Amino acid sequence: MPGHRTKGFCASAAALVLCAMVAGCGGSGESVGSGKVVLRYTWWGNPDRAERTEKAVALFEKQHPNVQVQTSFSAYDAYKQKLATQAAGGDAPDVMQLDYRQIDQYASGDVLLDLARQKAVLRTGEIDAGLLATGRLDGTQYAIPQGRGTETVAYDVKAWKESGVPLPGGSWTWSEWADAMRALTEKTGKPGATDPGQSEDCFEVWLRGQGKSLYTKDGGLGFTAGDLTRWWTFTDGLRREGVVSPAEQTTQLDGSVENTPLGRGEAISDSNWDAPASGFLALIPSGVALAPMPSGEDGTPGQYFKPSMFLGVGASTAHPKEAAQLVDFLINDEKAAQILGATRGIPVNESIRKAIEPQLKDFDRTIADYQALLEGSLKDPPQAPPSGDNALQTTFQRDYDQVSYERMSPSEAAENYVTEAKAELRS
Amino acid sequence: MTTTDISAPAAGKARATPVPKRRPRREAQGPAWVFLSPWVLGALVLTLLPMAVSLYLSFTDYDLFNPPRWVGLRNYVQMFTEDPRYWRSVVTTLTYVVIAVPLQLALALGVALALKSMKRGKGFYRSAFYAPSLLGASMSIALVWRAIFNDGGTVDNLLGTGGWVNKPGWALLAVALLTVWQFGAPMVIFLAGLQQIPGELYEAAAVDGAGTWRQFLSVTVPMLSPVLFFNLVLQTIQAFQVFTPAFAIGAGKGGPADSTLVYTLYLYDRGFVASHMGYASAMAWVLLIVIGAVTAVLFRTSRSWVFYASEGDR
């Protein structure tokens, strides 16, 4: 028996185990000396937003030498899952970025602090009352809107111009949009757009363009399987023509601009929210422009201004005052606003917005101009979606996967979705 | 027995104060419990208690944020009768088990056989083949794997197959291959088993005119069957619980088109994405029962094919 060999083997195996252990135990240095208050601040976004956020946070730390802020961010899908896990474990971050779709669930689950109690350090006087109310549930202010956003068709300007297809104007209907995408595909050989069929947001715009809505006032489903079948038949038809991205690319969408067909240079346009569209610049240096979302055939606009995202404070935070100070800084500090620009949407604080708007540069300017173009023409935002919607967003994308991979017909998938949605909203 | 040995002299010395007979026993048990306590506590607090809670939760509707609400068997009924995605995850998992386990065991056995007859560099190769088992369970390797099998990745460039991870028919195979690649643990066990087979058996077989293949079938396989059985049971149990590779390759959603939506991934989805912890707990208990049943079936069939050398002596 090879005894001497075994020793060598053991040594190398032990070395490997050690490597694995060292690799596993790295990171997470929570310890902090000098008795500083440590705040955890988490958010979702892209590298562009990360860079600006880090700068703003550094300024906050300079102004508050007793506070240290640990930030972390990820793409939207991953963030959503991680935050839910942390919140459930009673380990919610001190300050967290929240989506319209999360407010209801998080607030009703006692994850969020009542921010009215921190009035002394967190000023809300200069925020539009209607906008501020979107962060309220049953009269309690659980979150503060951080910016105003709306959906947009972001497109590669250079590629579109070169194709010779007329650039999009101030408004278009869904059929005009589809025709433009067809023309683009024909001229450039690339799909004109990301397949919008996977996006619950795009579906909502389409639905509102027909005077309907995703949810009824009492939190039920606002549309029928027939509506969804028509939407998916429309988008699936475009996919079969090759006018929108193929299933292999659509399935990879996870809320980050990097994984969109436009971001990978495999399509000419993408439907997205206006603020994250700034992330496209790093991927398409030749420039990105914004066009409005298509409207209903009679011109009814489907898109709306919504609070782009919120800031909330964890109910279990050990430092409610400092956490509220950070929220106040991010929303009401002019220097912070200058650094952050429009990366989370146009600022909500009225005087800050007025002070900032003329100074906005580059893509922030583009977003401001885009929103100015829509000002006054859009309808009121819907109320915050019921808590079941958080899961349904993913279900929507999954069910459309079945359509785009041709495993189900649009009507089968729509029936599936409606059945699940009804169960989800009931519970 | 040892208790009396130790306590006898002690009782003898302490004659002045009469000691009740049972006390020394306690003294001797005390340290034992002290030393055992971490494990006993661990078993109670970290294993039994969570299991009990999860069993309770499986009969409730619990969204992680609000207190659990008792719903009786509703989760189980919904799972079996109203949830097509649940059944899809069951089929996906079974397909995965049937692909991954035999492939992995065959590879482990093949490499073990090759290494057994190897003269030089055995230690190096054993470590080299074992390395993936240490690394492979990590998320980073799974992500690298995803990149390799992605659209425009290495495999696409070499074979021109397009991205496997984006094809519903192929993605599960990419997940299975990641597991198969981590064949180190069963390989080491096979190797140990192979070295236990007495050389005389092969010599005798050779004298009787058996070729390599015949020797393998008539000597190696029966002599190795207990080890084979052990590996089969262990790897099957593990395969039922596959999560990391499916999570990474299916981009956390079991995509494309639910083709990598294995059971534990759907369980995670129900629990942490959709916030139905009660439903997820019910799924976990069904998984436990199914794994138990499959293991029992494997044990039952083992009677007809697993050969223990000691049986011949009896």
Side-chain angles (χ1 to χ4, degrees):
Chain A
M1 295 285 152
H4 58 291
R5 289 271 175 235
T6 316
K7 214 181 222 168
F9 167 69
C10 283
S12 32
L16 281 170
V17 171
L18 229 86
C19 290
M21 276 166 61
V22 170
C25 298
S28 99
E30 287 256 331
S31 69
V32 59
S34 71
K36 272 190 187 179
V37 167
V38 180
L39 292 180
R40 283 184 306 151
Y41 167 34
T42 66
W43 47 277
W44 77 87
N46 52 38
D48 167 60
R49 190 180 286 171
E51 203 180 300
R52 301 202 209 186
T53 306
E54 287 302 330
K55 262 193 218 157
V57 163
L59 182 64
F60 176 78
E61 286 176 332
K62 219 169 140 196
Q63 290 181 4
H64 301 82
N66 64 321
V67 182
Q68 186 187 337
V69 183
Q70 291 177 344
T71 61
S72 73
F73 79 102
S74 45
Y76 179 63
D77 276 3
Y79 180 80
K80 211 168 66 172
Q81 292 180 14
K82 191 177 162 194
L83 192 63
T85 316
Q86 285 177 326
D91 187 34
D94 301 293
V95 178
M96 63 199 110
Q97 186 172 312
L98 294 162
D99 188 65
Y100 209 20
R101 296 169 189 279
Q102 290 170 312
I103 299 282
D104 186 279
Q105 187 179 32
Y106 279 49
S108 62
D110 293 334
V111 177
L112 300 174
L113 195 74
D114 176 2
L115 292 174
R117 279 197 233 149
Q118 297 298 327
K119 256 188 193 142
V121 287
L122 176 49
R123 298 157 290 156
T124 53
E126 292 190 87
I127 302 173
D128 172 75
L131 210 55
L132 186 63
T134 53
R136 214 175 280 156
L137 193 86
D138 301 331
T140 309
Q141 191 79 42
Y142 285 107
I144 310 285
Q146 207 180 355
R148 189 180 76 170
T150 186
E151 277 169 282
T152 181
V153 175
Y155 60 92
D156 180 338
V157 189
K158 190 160 163 260
W160 193 311
K161 274 189 183 149
E162 281 172 4
S163 72
V165 179
L167 288 175
S171 71
W172 45 0
T173 65
W174 279 100
S175 42
E176 284 164 353
W177 169 83
D179 288 340
M181 293 306 125
R182 270 191 204 100
L184 277 176
T185 307
E186 201 178 302
K187 290 282 182 341
T188 63
K190 281 185 200 169
T194 304
D195 189 340
Q198 48 79 35
S199 162
E200 197 194 24
D201 291 334
C202 290
F203 174 59
E204 186 182 25
V205 170
W206 180 82
L207 207 56
R208 283 170 57 97
Q210 303 170 25
K212 297 174 186 172
S213 64
L214 271 188
Y215 300 105
T216 57
K217 285 245 151 52
D218 54 355
L221 211 55
F223 60 92
T224 62
D227 292 322
L228 187 51
T229 305
R230 281 193 297 129
W231 166 247
W232 278 345
T233 308
F234 169 61
T235 60
D236 189 49
L238 293 174
R239 183 192 60 78
R240 284 171 194 262
E241 287 178 57
V243 167
V244 295
S245 59
E248 288 79 10
Q249 285 176 24
T250 310
T251 191
Q252 294 185 50
L253 294 170
D254 60 358
S256 72
V257 290
E258 287 82 2
N259 282 336
T260 60
L262 174 62
R264 295 153 160 235
E266 310 213 11
I268 310 299
S269 76
D270 183 61
S271 326
N272 214 313
W273 292 91
D274 56 359
S278 66
F280 282 122
L281 278 188
L283 308 163
I284 307 154
S286 58
V288 177
L290 307 179
M293 289 294 284
S295 58
E297 297 307 314
D298 62 355
T300 307
Q303 69 183 111
Y304 55 89
F305 283 126
K306 91 163 194 179
S308 60
M309 54 200 68
F310 296 81
L311 277 173
V313 173
S316 57
T317 179
H319 313 288
K321 188 176 149 232
E322 285 80 3
Q325 279 173 336
L326 177 60
V327 175
D328 180 71
F329 172 81
L330 291 168
I331 289 169
N332 296 323
D333 190 282
E334 195 175 326
K335 281 201 185 104
Q338 270 165 7
I339 297 172
L340 293 170
T343 178
R344 283 184 175 81
I346 300 296
V348 290
N349 179 315
E350 302 282 357
S351 60
I352 298 258
R353 181 159 80 208
K354 282 191 191 113
I356 290 298
E357 243 165 3
Q359 302 172 30
L360 287 178
K361 293 187 299 254
D362 309 330
F363 202 74
D364 293 346
R365 179 84 263 150
T366 313
I367 293 176
D369 290 346
Y370 170 64
Q371 292 203 358
L373 173 81
L374 298 171
E375 199 90 50
S377 68
L378 302 187
K379 303 209 160 172
D380 285 341
Q383 61 184 13
S387 52
D389 172 73
N390 212 357
L392 286 175
Q393 227 183 340
T394 316
T395 307
F396 194 91
Q397 196 178 358
R398 285 181 160 172
D399 279 334
Y400 187 62
D401 252 13
Q402 303 290 348
V403 176
S404 60
Y405 279 105
E406 300 180 16
R407 297 190 152 196
M408 277 185 197
S409 69
S411 67
E412 277 175 297
E415 288 291 347
N416 259 10
Y417 178 82
V418 168
T419 308
E420 187 163 340
K422 281 182 178 158
E424 203 67 51
L425 295 170
R426 188 170 6 104
S427 57
Chain B
M1 318 154 271
T2 35
T3 338
T4 42
D5 289 346
I6 294 165
S7 61
K13 274 176 199 162
R15 202 160 289 167
T17 46
V19 181
K21 259 197 172 177
R22 299 188 69 188
R23 225 184 123 196
R25 263 194 133 198
R26 276 219 191 129
E27 269 173 5
Q29 271 183 2
W33 281 111
V34 169
F35 284 112
L36 274 174
S37 60
W39 287 271
V40 173
L41 275 176
L44 285 176
V45 177
L46 299 177
T47 308
L48 285 176
L49 186 69
M51 278 180 80
V53 172
S54 132
L55 184 61
Y56 163 70
L57 286 180
S58 77
F59 298 108
T60 66
D61 182 10
Y62 177 44
D63 70 353
L64 285 169
F65 300 107
N66 298 302
R69 197 161 42 93
W70 186 265
V71 293
L73 288 172
R74 202 187 83 186
N75 287 329
Y76 292 92
V77 172
Q78 191 186 343
M79 193 186 303
F80 293 130
T81 60
E82 297 164 22
D83 189 350
R85 200 162 258 140
Y86 173 82
W87 287 108
R88 211 173 296 145
S89 79
V90 169
V91 171
T92 308
T93 308
L94 290 176
T95 315
Y96 168 82
V97 170
V98 168
I99 298 173
V101 175
L103 262 180
Q104 190 190 34
L105 291 183
L107 198 62
L109 182 56
V111 173
L113 282 168
L115 285 180
K116 187 200 165 204
S117 50
M118 202 170 200
K119 292 279 182 300
R120 268 202 258 156
K122 207 188 253 183
F124 170 75
Y125 282 107
R126 263 192 294 202
S127 314
F129 282 120
Y130 196 75
S133 305
L134 296 174
L135 303 170
S138 72
M139 201 61 182
S140 47
I141 292 286
L143 288 173
V144 169
W145 206 262
R146 179 178 165 79
I148 290 174
F149 287 97
N150 206 340
D151 219 1
T154 319
V155 170
D156 182 18
N157 289 337
L158 288 176
L159 305 174
T161 52
W164 284 16
V165 292
N166 302 319
K167 290 199 176 128
W170 289 86
L172 192 63
L173 190 64
V175 176
L177 283 182
L178 179 53
T179 315
V180 170
W181 181 58
Q182 299 161 44
F183 59 83
M187 176 201 72
V188 167
I189 297 167
F190 273 136
L191 205 52
L194 285 173
Q195 283 165 346
Q196 295 297 316
I197 303 174
E200 309 94 77
L201 288 180
Y202 290 105
E203 284 163 28
V207 169
D208 288 346
T212 321
W213 184 239
R214 190 75 243 178
Q215 285 185 15
F216 175 73
L217 284 182
S218 304
V219 180
T220 312
V221 171
M223 291 303 286
L224 203 59
S225 58
V227 174
L228 195 60
F229 174 62
F230 174 80
N231 274 337
L232 178 68
V233 171
L234 224 59
Q235 297 308 320
T236 307
I237 291 175
Q238 274 185 15
F240 269 103
Q241 303 175 60
V242 62
F243 180 79
T244 314
F247 183 85
I249 287 169
K253 285 183 278 207
D258 287 349
S259 63
T260 60
L261 189 74
V262 292
Y263 196 91
T264 52
L265 196 57
Y266 188 53
L267 190 157
Y268 170 83
D269 176 80
R270 291 292 87 192
F272 292 100
V273 181
S275 312
H276 295 307
M277 266 303 153
Y279 193 79
S281 297
M283 280 187 72
W285 277 89
V286 171
L287 179 63
L288 180 80
I289 291 164
V290 167
I291 289 180
V294 169
T295 312
V297 168
L298 284 178
F299 267 93
R300 194 153 277 254
T301 61
S302 77
R303 288 180 200 163
S304 61
W305 64 272
V306 175
F307 168 75
Y308 292 99
S310 55
E311 281 169 14
D313 302 340
R314 269 187 234 141

